[in-house]
Amino acid sequence: MSSCPEELLYTPEHEWFRAADGTVGITAHAQRALGDVVYVELPAVGTELTAGQSFGTVESVKSVSDLFAPVSGRVTAVNGALGEHPELINQDPYGEGWIIRVAPAGPATGLLVAAEYRRQIGEGQD
Amino acid sequence: MQRTPLYARHTALGAHMVPFAGWEMPVQYRGIVAEHRAVRTAAGLFDVCHMGEITLRGPRAGAALDLLCVNDPRTLTPGRAMYSPLCLEDGGTQDDVIVYCLRAQEEYLLVVNAANRAADLAWIRETLGARGLGDVQITDASEQTGLVALQGPAAMRVLAVLLAEPERPAVVGLRPFRFTRAAVAGVPCLVARTGYTGEDGVELACSAEGVVELWDATLAAGTPLGLEPCGLGARDTLRLEAGLPLYGHELSAEVSPLEAGLGRFVRLDGRTCVGSQALARQAAGGPPRHLVGLEPEPPGIARAGALVRDADGRQVGLVTSGTFSPSLGRPVAMALCARGAAAPGEVLGVEVRGRAVPARVVSLPFYRRRRDSGVVLS
């Protein structure tokens, strides 16, 4: 059973967003569904993102998925370690496998809290 | 959706189950890359119970097989197996199968692709009926048959542990494409030195009831030697690295075995089989397309259906299968390209999500196992 940390917000497309520092990643559920991640395509620092729009891709041995921005804003950092070690997304999706940091242009809207996201992916309480 | 007798084992092992050809099958347990590496370095165990088993029986079963197979079955004797495409009159491929000779001229077992089982049965019945071979008894034994593949450099060591002393030497000494009957972990099996991974190993056919015990005993015996349960995901990356065709990708009703690079399994000399005229014409004139290996530049994986273009942007082919090769650590693909359009060393372009990616043409297979690591068995 995948975990969904309570302090994060979630998109219906399986990204997580930490409002405290603007960090974005994909959920444990998403990395498990994808399987072994082999490539991650990331935007450059400074790119302006629009909430709900694709900002990159995560590719696994068996499939490829778009990454969707949880909020609008400017990319302030990308996780460069993913270039050499994309498997960090599988190993530690909420930690070392983070993807980008965003300076939000405004408050996050339309995101799910952990309990709502768990319901969406068909999981009960952890 | 059908489930194999091993379904409960897969869910207990935490497998990620997916639909495949009407079956609910494990795509991975621990992860495709880890499972792939286990097969290349130690051993893997695959549930392939979804595959179909069809038997041909009767005094004219040999003649029936001679009509159905484009590979030459006439030299098959009991204990020998053969890979063969089955072709349509126009040379397109109905299926690709392994034929096991149970009794010379009188009884054969065909292991067929799960997705083609019903179509193969209908095609065999129709073909034999139309050619006056309606007396051959055709049986679908799929529901009663369990099938697992034990593959990898340590596969024969694992198997040896599961065999009783009197049978052991003959079974572990089987040559490629030979088979015998033996009790494996006490379960009566047909043990064949065959596989679909590019590694050494065996495929074990038994009763549908016996396969659960066979699976459990094989996992228990193999785990100390590094064996892992493997899903369809690793099966696909392993066969792709080994350049082995998958029906529906490299082979189909629209693709002949000659185009797919399977010329050595098309033996028409002095024979008339379904499709032999079309294939002989194609062999004489040269097939219009040919299967090649591609190494697209990372990142990004060219997957089935991706367009292949030449330096001038003209479409010259289509990717039939593509993945990330765990052994090479890079993307690989197979593609059907127009004759003369894709010579080894040439750089073509493949479309990956709307972007043209350079891809070098290489000869197949991508991976060939070392044959010098003979395991000594007592």
Side-chain angles (χ1 to χ4, degrees), chain A residues 32-33 35-36 38-39 41 57 59-64, chain B residues 14 31-33 237 298 300-301 303 323-324 331 353 355:
Chain A
R32 176 157 162 73
D36 295 305
V38 291
Y39 297 116
E41 287 185 62
T57 57
E59 184 146 30
S60 70
V61 174
K62 65 178 196 285
S63 66
V64 61
Chain B
I32 293 174
V33 173
T237 54
I301 298 169
R303 299 183 190 268
T323 191
F324 178 84
R353 296 190 291 286
R355 204 178 63 209

Side-chain angles (χ1 to χ4, degrees), chain B residues 218-272:
Chain B
T218 309
L219 265 191
T223 302
L225 293 169
L227 175 138
E228 297 216 15
C230 295
L232 293 182
R235 188 168 161 83
D236 192 52
T237 54
L238 289 158
R239 70 92 195 167
L240 220 162
E241 281 185 354
L244 299 169
L246 173 60
Y247 193 89
H249 289 256
E250 286 70 38
L251 288 171
S252 72
E254 281 76 46
V255 182
S256 85
L258 296 175
E259 293 178 302
L262 300 172
R264 68 186 185 283
F265 303 108
V266 180
R267 298 293 173 94
L268 305 173
D269 13 288
R271 301 175 54 230
T272 305

Side-chain angles (χ1 to χ4, degrees), chain A residues 2 13-15 25-41 56-67 86-87 89-90 93 97 99 117, chain B residues 16 18 27-33 233 301 303 323-324 353:
Chain A
S2 313
E13 293 84 20
H14 313 290
E15 288 81 16
I26 67 167
T27 65
H29 173 81
Q31 69 77 20
R32 176 157 162 73
L34 271 168
D36 295 305
V37 174
V38 291
Y39 297 116
V40 185
E41 287 185 62
T57 57
V58 183
E59 184 146 30
S60 70
V61 174
K62 65 178 196 285
S63 66
V64 61
S65 286
D66 279 311
L67 292 164
E87 70 276 10
I89 288 181
N90 297 114
I99 295 173
Y117 179 68
Chain B
H16 184 201
V18 297
V27 66
Q28 64 167 65
Y29 304 82
R30 198 156 69 88
I32 293 174
V33 173
I301 298 169
R303 299 183 190 268
T323 191
F324 178 84
R353 296 190 291 286

